[in-house]
Amino acid sequence: VIDGEFVAAVRQGDAPAVARAITRVERGGQDARDLVRALFASGGRAHIVGVTGAPGTGKSTLVNVLAKDLTARGYRVAIIAVDPSSPFTGGALLGDRLRMQDLSGTGVFIRSMASRGELGGLAAAVADALVVLDAAGFDILLVETVGAGQGEVEIARQAHTTVVLEAPGMGDEIQAIKAGILEIADVLVVNKADRDGANATVAALEMNLSLNSVPQDWRPPVLKTVALTGEGVAELADTIGAHRTYLERNGRREEKEAARVNEQLRGLVQSALLEQAQADLAPGRWKAVVNAVRERKIDIYSAAEAILADSSGFQERVV
Ligand SMILES: Nc1nc2c(ncn2[C@@H]2O[C@H](COP(=O)(O)OP(=O)(O)OP(=O)(O)O)[C@@H](O)[C@H]2O)c(=O)[nH]1
Ligand SMILES: [Mg+2]
């Protein structure tokens, strides 16, 4: 049951209500779905900016100063810091909280979200949290993720503008290339530009851009920042604005959103069908099929066909 007063408070951007709403979508389940349903129509205006990069590149520090810059420009800003490995990084989260304290009084809404189970669940929770913040009237949503793997890429894909961070002197190789996140970058930032090797890192990124085919109408700019002092942050904010304009003028925003909806819808339908298929099976059947494959009595494709046949009421038994 959805409390109309609560939904209204979220829509008005009431911070405690927004925080409670995110807790609710984080928990998932029917409550989360009902809330998203109630809020969904009120959204669609926020610009979502993903900030991703290897651990320690300065994402939180940069997001902080970027939020300040954008707030000074009159935007209402919300931050989601995604920490996929929360049980082991309590320190990092605490660090984020401390850093983010200096945003108090600025009206910037900050929330850390951690994964309780698989990353796919986290991506869905983040998607729902973005719906909440969008409906709450925030203009710009900054999402910090550690760019370390496929799950994080999935989260980053939800952004309109993806900023990928590098820092000099983190090994010869560019971290983002390893993680495969360079391909999703709309803007590249070499943070910690106060350190030696920043220009070499810029050159390496530029080289990589030339080698890879990038969309001809938007070549990801490579910027330098010093998040600690705020140097280069205004240029980053300008560039994000330019990318937003580019997306809107070329129909790319719609394309990106359609791709995102497509992906989410596929994921939801897939898991619903799987759940349905499993629910339709006789007790113990799934396990029996798994064991039959393990014992090499049947192959994996025949196993899948057997499960599908059972769940669609087609009683041909392969096993
Ligand atoms: N020298 C220098 N240090 C920086 C800069 N930006 C951030 N740092 C420092 O780098 C360290 C890591 O910064 P964070 O902002 O926590 O980095 P992060 O990418 O959010 O880290 P995780 O969330 O743990 O992946 C901190 O000690 C920062 O003070 C910078 O521009 N120059
Ligand atoms: Mg961080």
Side-chain angles (χ1 to χ4, degrees), residues 16 18 32 37-38 50 58 63-64 94 134 143 148 191 197 200 222 234 248 262 292 304:
V18 173
R37 228 166 251 154
V63 160
N64 237 37
L94 184 64
D134 193 352
V143 185
N191 187 42
V222 184
E248 284 165 358
N262 186 52

Side-chain angles (χ1 to χ4, degrees), residues 212-242:
N212 287 291
S213 52
V214 291
Q216 296 190 333
D217 44 1
W218 179 270
R219 187 183 204 272
V222 184
L223 309 177
K224 283 194 285 188
T225 58
V226 182
L228 279 183
T229 62
E231 214 179 305
V233 171
E235 290 79 357
L236 174 58
D238 290 344
T239 305
I240 290 168

Side-chain angles (χ1 to χ4, degrees), residues 12-60:
Q12 276 153 27
D14 173 66
V18 173
R20 268 203 294 147
I22 294 182
T23 301
R24 203 146 134 183
V25 298
E26 224 173 1
R27 286 201 196 106
Q30 193 60 48
D31 268 2
R33 289 195 286 268
D34 287 344
L35 184 59
V36 168
R37 228 166 251 154
L39 291 171
F40 194 72
S42 319
R45 280 161 303 149
H47 190 70
I48 303 170
V49 179
V51 177
T52 190
T57 42
K59 298 177 294 296
S60 299

Side-chain angles (χ1 to χ4, degrees), residues 54-62 92 96 99 144 146 191-195 225-228:
T57 42
K59 298 177 294 296
S60 299
T61 314
L62 187 69
D96 281 347
R99 248 190 304 286
E144 174 192 344
V146 179
N191 187 42
K192 306 195 184 182
D194 53 320
R195 292 200 175 164
T225 58
V226 182
L228 279 183

